[in-house]
């Protein structure tokens, strides 16, 4: 038996034959052409066909993994319209009098290398995307079609790397899981795997000799077993069956209250990134939406989304939630979340830079457009507004002033609104230290534990080399949370958590004893968290 370790995309067990996949490496040699004009025409025709293929992939992904995850193929289409990318290809064809496939392949490698060399983990992950679109155009130019990666029987796919296109094109009934040597937990392929609930490992030293052998992905222990012993195989099958039984049992918790054995109740809400996620919220019986990441509306758009576009999205979510609370976080863009049309300058320390409320308060036209849309949607249900990345009283007061201005405008225009609850993200040590003063300006706090941990420990959470030092259970982080809860309650604010830590069941009892009023987690974490809460007895 062989054991290889890596990073797990999500916990889970996959058992089945291993299939080692090698991409057909097409060697593109530089070849001269007597007609650069014809090569430019060939490239343009291939680019248009690639756009059409990506449109088909978008529709397939939309049906299988939802709007938010399908957006990667819209991004790929946008890449094929990027002036820098197109100019580089055309320049190589014209100046070197070479073929279109050579120009595309060379540009793809150059851009992928540039992304991979960046310090930002999110941008590093985009190297795979630019290789994906370049490979697609080259294949079209060479007259090659995409072959199936999978056979007739379900397998665990083993590969050097997988692109988003390859992942979404697979027949999910034939894919038990996948193992790759390359990849990032921030990559779109990893995001798709999580959404499709496919056990996957990345960063594994794979071996061609595995092909055809029995394999087991153990997502709990971050490893793959090749030719497992009979005893281990039996143990893994038992664990997989327990997982399936657990999923079935959790369904019985729907419509049950989030109450401990001794009667302590807490709200359990869901985090979402788009209107398409609301189905998962309802399916998993969340009490409300504790975090609507509105920045994804901007990230999925080619230009600043209009008030009407945003209003339509917010209204749909609010109406669908049918009176349950919907907390919309105002634009939290910057750092690892970039939209080209914002034209944000490169920063040496983007996590500490121009982002979130700092952008909104200095570009008030963008801020007012969003606030007006949210206020209009508030007429259709229970809406709360949450300001991110707060460090001072002045920022809260300025944000509330802009909100009040929007309310006055809408009233003058005769546009209906509902009452909105105002809150802030507590994700900086400064906000924790100022919590008593801040609590007198708002009605709720929501702890963004991802950034709060990063800033408290002075650790870049995007840097994989610091994983061993990144400790969200650090006593300093927990004391920050307790201090925030105490300050909020002193002034009548309810306090919740919307960061990843909220779903950490090792801390659920700790959070309830701290007095937290709400935990907002991914939709898939709702029922497991409810089970944990209902099994606790805080009186002991």
């Amino acid at each position: 038996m062989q054991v290889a370790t890596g990073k797990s995309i999500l916990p889970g067990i996959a058992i089945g034959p291993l299939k080692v996949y090698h991409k057909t490496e097409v060697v593109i040699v530089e070849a001269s052409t007597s007609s650069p004009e014809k090569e430019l025409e060939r490239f343009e025709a291939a680019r248009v066909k690639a756009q059409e293929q990506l449109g088909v992939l978008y529709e397939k992904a939309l049906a299988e993994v939802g709007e938010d995850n399908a957006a990667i193929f819209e991004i790929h289409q946008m890449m094929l319209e990027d002036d820098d990318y197109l100019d580089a290809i055309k320049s190589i064809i014209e100046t070197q009098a070479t073929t279109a496939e050579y120009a595309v392949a060379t540009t793809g490698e150059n851009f992928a290398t540039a992304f991979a060399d960046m310090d930002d983990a999110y941008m590093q992950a985009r190297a795979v995307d630019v290789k994906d679109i370049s490979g697609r155009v080259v294949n079209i130019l060479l007259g090659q079609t995409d072959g199936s990666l999978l056979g007739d029987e379900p397998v665990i796919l083993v590969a050097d790397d997988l692109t988003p296109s390859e992942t979404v094109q697979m027949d999910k009934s034939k894919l038990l899981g996948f193992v790759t040597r390359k990849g990032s937990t921030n990559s779109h392929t990893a995001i798709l795997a999580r959404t499709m609930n496919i056990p996957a490992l990345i960063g594994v030293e794979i071996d061609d000799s595995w092909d055809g052998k029995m394999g087991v992905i153990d997502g709990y222990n971050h490893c793959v077993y090749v030719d497992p012993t009979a005893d281990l195989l039996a143990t893994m099958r038992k664990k997989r069956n327990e997982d399936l039984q657990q999923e079935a049992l959790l369904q019985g918790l729907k419509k049950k209250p989030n109450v401990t054995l001794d009667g302590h109740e807490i709200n359990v809400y869901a985090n979402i990134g788009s209107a398409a996620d609301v189905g998962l919220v309802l399916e998993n019986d969340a009490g409300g939406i504790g975090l609507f990441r509105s920045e994804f509306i901007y990230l999925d758009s080619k230009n600043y989304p209009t008030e009407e576009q945003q209003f339509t999205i917010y209204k749909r979510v609010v109406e669908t939630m049918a009176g349950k609370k919907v907390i919309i976080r105002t634009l939290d863009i910057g750092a690892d979340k970039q939209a080209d049309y914002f034209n944000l300058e490169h920063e040496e320390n983007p996590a500490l830079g121009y982002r979130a409320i700092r952008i909104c308060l200095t570009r008030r036209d963008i801020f007012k457009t969003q606030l007006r849309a949210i206020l209009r949607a508030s007429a259709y249900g229970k809406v709360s507004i949450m300001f991110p990345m707060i460090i001072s009283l002045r920022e809260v007061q300025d944000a509330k002033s802009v909100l009040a201005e929007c309310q006055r405008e809408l009233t003058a225009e005769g546009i209906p609104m509902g009452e909105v609850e105002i809150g802030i993200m507590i994700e900086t040590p400064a906000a924790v230290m100022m919590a008593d003063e801040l609590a007198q300006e708002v009605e709720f706090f929501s702890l963004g534990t991802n950034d709060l941990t990063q800033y408290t420990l002075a650790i870049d959470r995007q840097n994989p080399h610091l994983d061993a030092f990144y400790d969200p259970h650090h006593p300093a982080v927990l004391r920050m949370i307790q201090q925030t809860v105490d300050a909020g309650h002193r002034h009548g604010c309810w306090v919740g958590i919307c960061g990843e830590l909220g779903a950490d069941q090792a801390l659920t009892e700790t959070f309830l004893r701290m007095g937290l009023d709400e935990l907002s987690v991914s939709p898939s974490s709702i029922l497991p968290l409810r089970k944990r809460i209902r099994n606790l007895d805080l009186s002991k």
Side-chain angles (χ1 to χ4, degrees):
M1 179 177 76
Q2 288 178 266
V3 182
T5 59
K7 290 183 179 179
S8 179
I9 299 301
L10 81 168
I13 305 292
I15 302 173
L18 298 164
K19 178 177 180 178
V20 177
Y21 162 65
H22 288 293
K23 298 181 186 181
T24 303
E25 292 293 338
V26 179
V27 179
I28 306 293
V29 297
E30 184 173 7
S32 59
T33 177
S34 59
S35 179
E37 294 79 9
K38 286 185 178 180
E39 293 304 310
L40 288 170
E41 290 174 2
R42 287 183 64 227
F43 165 66
E44 180 57 24
R47 188 187 71 81
V48 170
K49 186 172 182 179
Q51 292 274 37
E52 293 171 354
Q53 291 179 354
L54 288 166
V56 172
L57 279 180
Y58 172 81
E59 294 300 328
K60 185 176 189 296
L62 185 65
E64 294 182 357
V65 295
E67 183 179 359
D68 203 30
N69 295 293
I72 175 57
F73 299 107
E74 286 188 319
I75 293 172
H76 282 195
Q77 287 178 306
M78 289 168 61
M79 285 181 167
L80 283 172
E81 297 173 354
D82 180 78
D83 288 340
D84 292 333
Y85 180 75
L86 298 180
D87 288 346
I89 292 170
K90 292 172 183 176
S91 176
I92 291 174
I93 292 174
E94 291 172 340
T95 60
Q96 299 182 34
T98 189
T99 60
E101 45 263 51
Y102 177 79
V104 174
T106 300
T107 301
E109 284 298 321
N110 290 343
F111 273 61
T113 300
F115 282 130
D117 288 344
M118 291 183 180
D119 293 332
D120 188 290
Y122 178 86
M123 297 307 296
Q124 289 171 354
R126 301 293 72 76
V128 175
D129 296 327
V130 76
K131 281 186 177 181
D132 194 355
I133 62 166
S134 300
R136 178 174 298 279
V137 176
V138 168
N139 285 340
I140 292 169
L141 286 164
L142 294 175
Q144 296 182 349
T145 57
D146 294 329
S148 174
L149 307 188
L150 308 174
D152 296 328
E153 299 299 322
V155 295
I156 295 173
L157 194 66
V158 180
D160 190 58
D161 200 1
L162 291 171
T163 66
S165 295
E166 289 169 331
T167 306
V168 84
Q169 286 179 97
M170 293 178 198
D171 181 347
K172 305 310 174 293
S173 66
K174 303 289 180 14
L175 182 63
L176 300 171
F178 66 77
V179 179
T180 64
R181 185 174 69 82
K182 297 178 183 177
S184 157
T185 53
N186 293 311
S187 72
H188 284 112
T189 299
I191 294 168
L192 287 169
R194 281 192 288 268
T195 303
M196 295 185 290
N197 202 30
I198 298 172
L201 288 177
I202 61 173
V204 178
E205 286 302 319
I206 62 176
D207 190 323
D208 285 355
S209 67
W210 295 355
D211 193 47
K213 294 180 179 180
M214 177 59 72
V216 177
I217 293 176
D218 182 352
Y220 296 99
N221 293 304
H222 314 284
C223 62
V224 56
Y225 305 107
V226 181
D227 271 344
T229 63
D231 287 346
L232 179 62
L233 193 56
T235 300
M236 291 292 103
R237 282 177 173 152
K238 181 181 178 182
K239 175 59 179 168
R240 184 184 61 181
N241 290 337
E242 288 173 353
D243 285 351
L244 294 173
Q245 291 170 5
Q246 184 66 25
E247 288 178 17
L249 286 172
L250 288 174
Q251 296 304 307
L253 291 175
K254 288 184 176 180
K255 304 304 178 186
K256 299 288 181 65
N258 308 303
V259 181
T260 63
L261 294 171
D262 59 315
H264 189 102
E265 188 167 8
I266 187 170
N267 289 316
V268 178
Y269 292 172
N271 299 334
I272 68 168
S274 76
D277 295 334
V278 176
L280 291 172
V281 175
L282 299 176
E283 181 183 335
N284 288 279
D285 195 35
I289 293 173
L291 172 62
F292 185 164
R293 298 182 176 95
S294 68
E295 60 271 15
F296 283 100
I297 298 172
Y298 295 79
L299 293 172
D300 292 344
S301 178
K302 297 179 182 179
N303 207 333
Y304 297 105
T306 65
E307 178 182 324
E308 201 62 35
Q309 288 171 332
Q310 293 189 64
F311 164 65
T312 301
I313 294 169
Y314 300 140
K315 176 174 176 283
R316 190 193 331 164
V317 172
V318 172
E319 286 181 329
T320 306
M321 291 304 293
K324 292 182 177 179
K325 183 177 292 187
V326 177
I327 301 176
I328 301 172
R329 179 173 70 187
T330 58
L331 179 61
D332 186 9
I333 209 159
D336 61 328
K337 292 173 285 190
Q338 299 281 338
D340 290 343
Y341 57 87
F342 272 77
N343 296 314
L344 300 178
E345 295 180 1
H346 172 74
E347 296 178 294
E348 292 300 322
N349 295 296
L352 304 177
Y354 188 49
R355 56 176 296 196
I357 199 67
R358 299 166 186 176
I359 292 176
C360 290
L361 291 178
T362 52
R363 300 180 69 174
R364 297 198 177 197
D365 54 332
I366 298 172
F367 196 26
K368 286 186 64 177
T369 297
Q370 180 176 38
L371 291 177
R372 283 175 58 95
I374 296 172
L375 287 169
R376 288 172 60 190
S378 71
Y380 298 88
K382 188 181 291 186
V383 172
S384 301
I385 295 175
M386 180 162 65
F387 303 124
M389 202 62 190
I390 294 297
I391 63 169
S392 72
L393 199 59
R394 178 185 58 81
E395 289 172 340
V396 180
Q397 292 168 341
D398 286 353
K400 287 173 64 179
S401 175
V402 178
L403 180 65
E405 182 181 339
C406 293
Q407 290 171 319
R408 289 193 297 272
E409 289 177 357
L410 291 170
T411 299
E413 294 166 25
I415 297 175
M417 297 171 283
E419 293 292 326
V420 292
E421 185 184 40
I422 300 173
I424 60 171
M425 296 279 291
I426 301 290
E427 49 193 335
T428 66
V432 175
M433 296 297 103
M434 293 290 294
D436 275 297
E437 290 85 348
L438 294 170
Q440 297 175 58
E441 289 286 337
V442 297
E443 294 160 278
F444 71 93
F445 289 157
S446 189
L447 286 142
T449 53
N450 304 343
D451 271 335
L452 182 61
T453 301
Q454 165 173 255
Y455 298 133
T456 300
L457 302 184
I459 286 180
D460 179 2
R461 63 188 176 97
Q462 300 284 343
N463 188 336
H465 300 297
L466 298 176
D467 285 352
F469 300 95
Y470 185 84
D471 178 16
H473 291 209
H474 194 289
V477 176
L478 298 181
R479 289 175 190 174
M480 290 274 187
I481 295 172
Q482 183 68 74
Q483 188 172 335
T484 301
V485 173
D486 293 343
H489 287 176
R490 274 195 293 270
H491 302 282
C493 275
W494 66 263
V495 184
I497 287 179
C498 64
E500 294 295 319
L501 211 55
D504 187 338
Q505 293 188 31
L507 289 173
T508 303
E509 181 174 354
T510 299
F511 290 153
L512 267 69
R513 291 188 183 279
M514 284 181 172
L516 278 153
D517 304 289
E518 175 244 28
L519 298 173
S520 190
V521 298
S522 65
S524 62
S525 297
I526 296 289
L527 295 178
L529 183 57
R530 178 171 296 163
K531 179 184 178 184
R532 172 68 175 146
I533 291 168
R534 290 174 59 84
N535 285 334
L536 289 174
D537 188 345
L538 303 184
S539 67
K540 294 181 178 179

